Amino acid sequence: MKLAIAAIVTVLASPAVASDLTLDIASRGSGGSIAVAVYRDAASFRRGEGPVATRTVPRNGPVTSVVIPGLAPGRYAVAAFHDTDGNGDLTLWPIGVPKEAYGFSNDARGRFGPPPFDAAAIDVPARGARGAFTLR
């Protein structure tokens, strides 16, 4: 019994494993910022709601590196856009088509919306991961 309690205390006292996801995001145009949202499950990714992490960084050249720190090891999908007008939202044309460049991890593409979660999924192990994609 004492051994079991000691094992539980050791597990609870251990720090949680956190990983960094580094993304190299290519974009055309200039200025503005790159807005990134990281999703843990297919439902929230599909709806574009409830990301587990977000980050907005200045676009600093044809390829902007964005680090998402502190992710638990697992499977994630990423959506990003080039916020050229600085309003913090993906700007759309009146017919609902994005006006600003956008993209998804693995360069996954969807028809009339985001791609399937599995097409965009990136595995992030405990040692962290790096991915690259292009905004179009």
Side-chain angles (χ1 to χ4, degrees), residues 18-23 66-72 124-130:
S19 303
D20 291 349
L21 173 60
T22 302
L23 302 164
V66 180
V67 177
I68 308 296
L71 294 175
V124 179
R127 69 181 183 283
R130 186 171 207 116

Side-chain angles (χ1 to χ4, degrees), residues 1 5 11 30 35 37 61 68 72 76 89 104-105 109-110 128 131:
M1 183 67 157
I5 292 172
V11 169
S30 60
I68 308 296
Y76 298 90
D89 292 317
F104 304 95
S105 43
R109 301 305 263 167

Side-chain angles (χ1 to χ4, degrees), residues 37-134:
V38 180
Y39 298 90
R40 179 80 189 227
D41 63 86
S44 59
F45 178 66
R46 183 78 186 149
R47 289 189 316 268
E49 297 174 351
V52 296
T54 60
R55 180 76 91 235
T56 301
V57 300
R59 181 189 177 278
N60 55 17
V63 176
T64 301
S65 290
V66 180
V67 177
I68 308 296
L71 294 175
R75 198 167 162 93
Y76 298 90
V78 178
F81 72 95
H82 184 180
D83 188 8
T84 56
D85 59 13
N87 70 354
D89 292 317
L90 178 63
T91 303
L92 305 174
W93 291 102
I95 60 172
V97 176
K99 196 177 204 182
E100 296 173 307
Y102 67 96
F104 304 95
S105 43
N106 296 331
D107 281 322
R109 301 305 263 167
R111 294 191 71 196
F112 307 109
F117 181 85
D118 288 338
I122 299 173
D123 291 316
V124 179
R127 69 181 183 283
R130 186 171 207 116
F133 60 97
T134 300

